[in-house]
Amino acid sequence: MKNAAEKKTILVTGGSGYLGQEVCNLLININADFITSTHQRGSLTDQQVFVDLETGDGIKDAIQGKTVILHLASDKKKPDNDVEGMKHLIAEIKKQQSKVHLIYISIVGIDLLPMPYFKQKMMAEQELVNSGVNWSILRATQFHKYVDELLHQFLAYPVGIIPKAVPVQPIDVHVVAEKLVEMTAGVPSHQKKDMGGEEVFEFIELAKSWGKIRHKSKLILNFPLWGRWGKNLKNGALTTADKSSSGMSWESWLTAEYANYLSR
Ligand SMILES: NC(=O)c1ccc[n+]([C@@H]2O[C@H](COP(=O)([O-])OP(=O)(O)OC[C@H]3O[C@@H](n4cnc5c(N)ncnc54)[C@H](OP(=O)(O)O)[C@@H]3O)[C@@H](O)[C@H]2O)c1
């Protein structure tokens, strides 16, 4: 992997994000030739370029001469940006007649669920698949940290509410980053590949282990889901048979994250 990745010239969009930072650390470790993009105006490091995917500003210079784009940038608060950003990237790649390999990180199950963010990720995938550009898509399940954020929301009040019988398959962000870096050394697959954590839990089990490690016991109501997307969630829309056997388990991640709670 090392030699092949070293020959590539890589742009990482969203390199400052949760996944992006893991990817960048791995690229540094293998001495890869890469820059990251940020849409924060202000002083940039030698390894950063300004790109706003919403407007397309900066894309032209950022992709010039690149052989791989690891496209990780995204904004859950502005889901349309995933589609707009993808369109801007594709347009500029075509304009430059570039053979660049565009690797897009997506999410398992987005075609089965109607949440606005998922719909936009699906549309962005379709833009890429139909673009004529060289591509690969990796769809990952929920990162441990994202599950943790969800649980903070669901269990924010004295009585927690958790959807009933929903399987979730948390994954260590580090193994997703490793897979993406491995893909930079490969050829475009023109395929969507899934990647999930080793263990599948019901959401309520995750809530209980989360409460236990934080020494917070509370009443949790398990509300049933209905309709087509409720059925899809219960049938495992957020899970995949393509499990990664490496990386931190949910329990180990919780223990590491909440070590200070444990010592109280
Ligand atoms: N969270 C999960 O569980 C999960 C699971 C599967 C797949 N994914 C996918 O993985 C990717 C990364 O997720 P993450 O949790 O690491 O996200 P994140 O921490 O929110 O990072 C996303 C980065 O995108 C950049 N960005 C936002 N708006 C931008 C814009 N208009 N133009 C250019 N850059 C912009 C931001 O960097 P700057 O502020 O520096 O510009 C931000 O740091 C996303 O595509 C997400 O859909 C996430």
Side-chain angles (χ1 to χ4, degrees):
M1 182 174 89
K2 183 173 175 176
N3 290 340
E6 272 173 8
K7 286 179 206 147
K8 313 277 176 162
T9 316
I10 304 165
L11 167 68
V12 183
T13 73
S16 64
Y18 182 59
L19 173 61
Q21 287 181 38
E22 289 285 334
V23 164
C24 290
N25 287 338
L26 292 172
L27 289 173
I28 289 167
N29 287 346
I30 60 166
N31 208 17
D33 181 0
F34 78 102
I35 55 164
T36 69
S37 75
T38 175
H39 79 308
Q40 306 298 335
R41 296 196 182 268
S43 57
L44 301 173
T45 68
D46 289 348
Q47 216 150 14
Q48 279 182 319
V49 288
F50 174 83
V51 168
D52 187 346
L53 289 163
E54 189 174 2
T55 59
D57 288 355
I59 288 183
K60 183 179 166 204
D61 292 341
I63 71 168
Q64 200 108 45
K66 300 296 176 297
T67 54
V68 180
I69 299 172
L70 268 182
H71 183 26
L72 319 176
S74 187
D75 187 351
K76 284 190 213 79
K77 291 186 191 126
K78 288 187 182 174
D80 294 5
N81 282 2
D82 259 75
V83 183
E84 286 312 306
M86 185 64 84
K87 283 184 181 167
H88 286 306
L89 278 171
I90 291 168
E92 192 54 45
I93 290 168
K94 288 184 158 178
K95 210 162 148 191
Q96 295 188 16
Q97 298 183 326
S98 166
K99 298 268 181 279
V100 70
H101 177 193
L102 202 166
I103 301 170
Y104 180 52
I105 181 71
S106 189
I107 306 173
V108 166
I110 53 170
D111 37 352
L112 300 170
L113 299 164
M115 287 79 108
Y117 183 60
F118 279 21
K119 279 189 173 172
Q120 295 297 321
K121 297 281 301 183
M122 187 67 214
M123 284 163 66
E125 279 191 0
Q126 278 163 352
E127 289 288 339
L128 182 57
V129 170
N130 299 326
S131 65
V133 161
N134 288 319
W135 63 273
S136 305
I137 292 174
L138 181 67
R139 285 178 165 192
T141 55
Q142 283 62 46
F143 306 151
H144 294 321
K145 181 169 168 274
Y146 182 63
V147 174
D148 179 63
E149 282 167 20
L150 282 179
L151 289 168
H152 272 286
Q153 289 166 22
F154 279 110
L155 304 178
Y157 300 102
V159 176
I161 34 171
I162 291 286
K164 193 171 179 181
V166 173
V168 183
Q169 193 175 355
I171 189 165
D172 184 350
V173 69
H174 186 75
V175 295
V176 179
E178 279 182 334
K179 182 69 190 171
L180 289 165
V181 170
E182 186 189 308
M183 287 166 76
T184 64
V187 293
S189 67
H190 297 113
Q191 282 181 6
K192 301 177 190 184
K193 292 262 170 66
D194 279 359
M195 184 177 199
E198 191 166 16
E199 298 167 285
V200 177
F201 302 89
E202 279 210 10
F203 206 0
I204 186 82
E205 291 176 70
L206 295 173
K208 284 180 181 164
S209 52
W210 187 84
K212 192 171 163 200
I213 206 130
R214 292 161 46 85
H215 303 305
K216 298 233 158 91
S217 66
K218 67 168 68 182
L219 179 63
I220 300 176
L221 299 179
N222 221 204
F223 68 90
L225 296 174
W226 59 92
R228 190 165 61 88
W229 69 272
K231 195 172 155 198
N232 288 348
L233 268 176
K234 285 188 281 190
N235 286 343
L238 294 175
T239 65
T240 173
D242 294 313
K243 296 180 179 183
S244 161
S245 54
S246 57
M248 269 187 166
S249 66
W250 168 248
E251 285 291 341
S252 326
W253 186 87
L254 271 184
T255 307
E257 183 71 10
Y258 291 107
N260 55 340
Y261 272 81
L262 286 173
S263 58
R264 277 180 206 167

